Amino acid sequence: MPELVLTSDGKPVLRCPLHGQAVSVGRSSANDVSVPDDAMPPLHCSFEPQGGGRYRVVDRGGQGVFVGGAEYEHKDLEDGDEVRLGHLIARFLVGAEESGTTARKDGAQHTGILRTRAGDGALTRLDLRLRLPASAGGRVLEIPPEGLRIGAHPDNDVVIDDGFVSSFHAQIFLRGERLFVRDLDSTNGTFVGAVRVVEAEVPLGSTIKLGKAELVADSKESEEKVEAPSGDGPWRCCDLHTADATFARTFAFIEKVAPHDATVCVFGETGSGKELVAQAIHKLSGRKHGPFVPLNCAAIPQNLIESELFGHEKGAFTGADRQRQGAFEEANKGTLFLDEVGELAMDVQAKLLRVLETRAVRRLGGRGDIAVDVRVVAATHRDLLQHVREGKFREDLLHRLYVIPVNLPPLRERRADVGHLAQHFIGTLSPGGRKPELTTEARKKLERHPFPGNVRELRNVIQRALIVGDGKQVTEKDIVFIPVTLAEATLVGQVYRPGMTMDEVEREAYRGALKSFGSAAEAARALGLPKTTFWRRATALGLLADKKGA
């Protein structure tokens, strides 16, 4: 997997895996990587996926980006390229080891075998599994070191008889710690993905095609199911982690609904992990080998959103100099994640409703419909029912999306996760396999913070702490919560007084919002909270009862 390793004075301070999605970098805490450097613009640059594990760095702040000492507006990155980010250097590694410190010299990604570290620090290999097609019984086989021979003849290790597989068709075997397939002069050929091969390395999760049969190479780790919320935890569901038993029940619910193709709508505040839920649903479904296409509806200008969703034909509008597929076509046979769907304009909502009903899209400027096989996962931090009442969201579209709702609680409502996720981020973001200690004082400081930005804010706080820390400990002084504006910093000082507990600070914040805006609905909107969440917490704090009695 490609990744960025950030170094300061030659010492690695942060590891940032690249999962095939864009990564923004800048001074602002709203970025995926926030660099504490006053000379850097709020948004400095972004690392944009180009397909096939390739990435391009693009200037976003008007100051240019420096790669290997030369200035660019944008540059396609090669393995080992170094990008200057303020006082830091980001090294782009195409085939970095799991430790995040070395790169494969051949520039290829890790494929075939998943690797992990044992307790003694030695590398261990996780055995591969080969998923067989229905014509071979649909079994899952472990791949022994000597490999497997596949074909229609009964003497093969795997017998596939579908009329298009040769008697001795192909051999799958291990070479060192990588998986390879070799064609045995078959009639119809052996394919890895869409490429016909004589002998080739097989990336983990790839499809091997023999005639009409399709086999998939997976690891045991990919077979992991979500753990039941029993015992003391912690629990994991794909890339979701929790130490909160109540939230762990949401993991079990995700696993239950993932195999079905019904539309899922994820509700939660900004930064609470809605995209991770969508990714988990995709990975635990039968579509996991298809594409996962995320689209943030709030980040795209309204005049471009239709083209992003549905595509366009050449000449459909000024600047449309070529044909372009939209997100629905790109996600065919896979999952489309529509983030912040509540931000769509009414006319776009009508067209989205038609696609969901007909399972076909029509490109802008096109004359015919194109059938698509897509599972939709939508997400929003808005109260869509309230939007329907206000005429901002179509009721018929809400019914289409609200088939299976998943509600994500904010981080402040699962306090056990603050320390647990802080430790998780320290482990995943620390370079070189190091894991700095989170001191008791630092943990307490984190647990006292309300985290209005939820898990994303916590991750950014840990990122900053690792960058400014000494690499051995994450201390209380390394934990810095940066108000977005000076006015917000002043307000924070007004809410907190020495000696106050966290509950007292929260009560003052809620009380101030109610006093300023006069109603629970307006106060919730001002604080960026769902109305039900605000109402429940304000009632628990005794504020709504006090207000009624006033």
Side-chain angles (χ1 to χ4, degrees), residues 132-449:
L132 304 183
S135 57
R139 296 172 294 155
V140 178
L141 298 179
E142 292 188 2
I143 302 176
E146 63 272 16
L148 297 169
R149 189 171 61 181
I150 306 172
H153 195 279
D155 286 345
N156 288 287
D157 300 305
V158 178
V159 179
I160 300 177
D161 185 10
D162 68 359
F164 293 88
V165 173
S166 299
S167 296
F168 298 96
H169 195 108
Q171 182 182 11
I172 293 177
F173 59 96
L174 296 171
R175 179 181 293 160
E177 295 187 337
R178 293 184 287 172
L179 180 70
F180 284 79
V181 62
R182 177 187 297 140
D183 183 74
L184 301 177
D185 294 326
S186 65
T187 302
N188 294 308
T190 300
F191 294 77
V192 176
V195 180
R196 184 168 182 167
V197 300
V198 175
E199 181 178 309
E201 186 176 351
V202 180
L204 187 68
S206 294
T207 299
I208 306 169
K209 297 181 181 179
L210 291 73
K212 288 189 174 181
E214 295 186 357
L215 303 85
V216 178
D218 270 333
S219 73
K220 286 183 178 179
E221 186 172 280
S222 68
E223 297 295 315
E224 287 183 346
K225 296 294 184 181
V226 64
E227 301 173 27
S230 59
D232 297 328
W235 299 272
R236 176 185 175 186
C237 178
C238 297
D239 291 330
L240 292 162
H241 299 259
T242 189
D244 184 278
T246 301
F247 190 40
R249 287 197 285 269
T250 302
F251 290 6
F253 181 69
I254 290 170
E255 182 186 9
K256 183 177 181 180
V257 304
H260 305 282
D261 258 357
T263 302
V264 176
C265 197
V266 187
F267 297 90
E269 296 179 14
T270 299
S272 58
K274 296 188 289 294
E275 184 164 349
L276 291 181
V277 172
Q279 291 175 348
I281 291 170
H282 175 72
K283 292 175 182 177
L284 294 172
S285 74
R287 297 176 176 268
K288 65 180 181 180
H289 300 298
F292 175 82
V293 179
L295 185 71
N296 188 333
C297 301
I300 301 171
Q302 288 298 319
N303 62 327
L304 297 178
I305 187 66
E306 288 189 45
S307 174
E308 292 290 332
L309 281 169
F310 313 125
H312 63 254
E313 298 290 350
K314 182 178 179 180
F317 51 84
T318 303
D321 56 352
R322 59 187 176 88
Q323 186 187 77
R324 183 185 186 281
Q325 286 188 339
F328 273 95
E329 289 183 76
E330 292 176 357
N332 193 42
K333 303 296 183 182
T335 303
L336 174 60
F337 174 53
L338 297 178
D339 196 10
E340 298 301 349
V341 70
E343 308 305 311
L344 291 175
M346 293 292 283
D347 58 333
V348 181
Q349 292 178 30
K351 295 178 180 180
L352 174 60
L353 175 64
R354 179 182 178 276
V355 173
L356 295 177
E357 289 176 339
T358 64
R359 297 293 169 178
V361 297
R362 177 172 296 183
R363 295 173 183 161
L364 292 179
R367 296 186 177 181
D369 289 344
I370 302 170
V372 289
D373 177 13
V374 174
R375 194 223 186 123
V376 173
V377 178
T380 181
H381 74 283
R382 300 290 188 186
D383 183 343
L384 292 186
L385 288 174
Q386 180 63 28
H387 267 36
V388 169
R389 288 191 288 268
E390 295 173 355
K392 299 178 181 178
F393 202 82
R394 293 179 63 102
E395 184 175 6
D396 45 6
L397 178 57
L398 174 62
H399 292 315
R400 275 284 173 182
L401 297 176
Y402 203 90
V403 179
I404 300 177
V406 176
N407 293 288
L408 297 185
L411 185 57
R412 62 184 167 277
E413 292 185 5
R414 39 189 179 101
R415 304 305 302 178
D417 273 348
V418 174
H420 171 68
L421 291 176
Q423 289 281 89
H424 168 68
F425 290 137
I426 288 173
T428 58
L429 297 175
S430 297
R434 296 179 302 169
K435 191 174 182 180
E437 176 192 0
L438 180 67
T439 66
T440 301
E441 293 76 14
R443 179 187 288 268
K444 289 180 179 178
K445 185 174 182 179
L446 288 170
E447 291 175 346
R448 290 194 298 267
H449 186 64

Side-chain angles (χ1 to χ4, degrees), residues 30-143:
N31 291 291
D32 298 303
V33 177
S34 176
V35 178
D37 190 326
D38 292 339
M40 179 175 287
L43 175 58
H44 174 58
C45 67
S46 62
F47 293 84
E48 305 285 345
Q50 304 298 303
R54 296 176 294 109
Y55 266 79
R56 170 182 296 175
V57 62
V58 181
D59 173 37
R60 299 296 185 188
Q63 297 182 357
V65 289
F66 288 83
V67 183
E71 184 177 359
Y72 298 88
E73 291 185 4
H74 59 79
K75 183 183 186 299
D76 291 335
L77 296 175
E78 298 178 1
D79 192 16
D81 273 351
E82 294 187 343
V83 183
R84 177 167 292 280
L85 303 175
H87 67 281
L88 302 177
I89 296 294
R91 180 175 297 164
F92 175 71
L93 300 178
V94 174
E97 297 284 359
E98 285 293 308
S99 64
T101 58
T102 60
R104 286 260 301 279
K105 297 301 183 183
D106 58 8
Q109 291 182 312
H110 274 300
T111 55
I113 301 293
L114 281 180
R115 299 175 64 171
T116 184
R117 286 194 177 271
D120 59 1
L123 286 172
T124 62
R125 191 181 69 210
L126 298 179
D127 292 333
L128 283 178
R129 292 186 174 188
L130 188 67
R131 293 177 174 272
L132 304 183
S135 57
R139 296 172 294 155
V140 178
L141 298 179
E142 292 188 2
I143 302 176

